[in-house]
Amino acid sequence: MKPAEINAQWKALQERVAQYFDTDTPDLKVMLFLIGVQELGQGPKKFSKRQKEELMHIANCRLFSKLGFYELEGLDQDGWPHWKLVQPIPAYTLLEQEMIIKGLMIDYFDEAFN
């Protein structure tokens, strides 16, 4: 997808998620958090600041696993997923990173909503 297509689909996804949760338009961090909560699979609950950061890390790993950079190792005793880096992520520019993450999120939510 070209950046213009990604941005158009991203905007539509943001609006869809905002409507679904009856909230403001979510940014990348909020979307990462939502994916992390979904991947944890323990439902909505209160999370500490550290846990929120870990949830966003889980989301990044899950998203980049689609490109072959991460692999799920398993779950710990509390049911939290652990990922291992299987190949280094290239040094993308900030714009490239944003486009890649948005594209991966679009695919993730397309799978989740369908």
Side-chain angles (χ1 to χ4, degrees), residues 18-53:
Q19 283 181 328
Y20 184 82
F21 288 103
D22 191 25
T23 189
D24 296 333
T25 305
D27 62 11
L28 279 171
K29 287 183 180 180
V30 170
M31 298 292 267
L32 283 171
F33 174 75
L34 291 174
I35 292 170
V37 170
Q38 178 66 28
E39 290 302 309
L40 180 60
Q42 296 179 3
K45 60 181 181 179
K46 289 268 188 194
F47 294 101
S48 69
K49 182 179 179 182
R50 182 163 188 251
Q51 287 174 320
K52 288 176 185 176
E53 291 169 351

Side-chain angles (χ1 to χ4, degrees), residues 4 7 21 23 57 59-60 65 74 87 89 100 109 112:
N7 283 328
F21 288 103
T23 189
H57 175 70
N60 270 312
S65 72
Q87 65 175 329
I89 299 173
I100 291 167
F109 280 99

Side-chain angles (χ1 to χ4, degrees), residues 1 3 6-7 9-11 13-14 28 63 95-109:
M1 272 190 285
I6 290 173
N7 283 328
Q9 288 186 28
W10 171 251
K11 185 123 183 98
L13 174 60
Q14 286 178 298
L28 279 171
L63 292 172
L95 182 59
E96 289 171 329
Q97 286 177 39
E98 184 177 318
M99 287 296 115
I100 291 167
I101 289 172
K102 284 180 180 179
L104 290 168
M105 285 183 179
I106 290 164
D107 291 344
Y108 181 89
F109 280 99

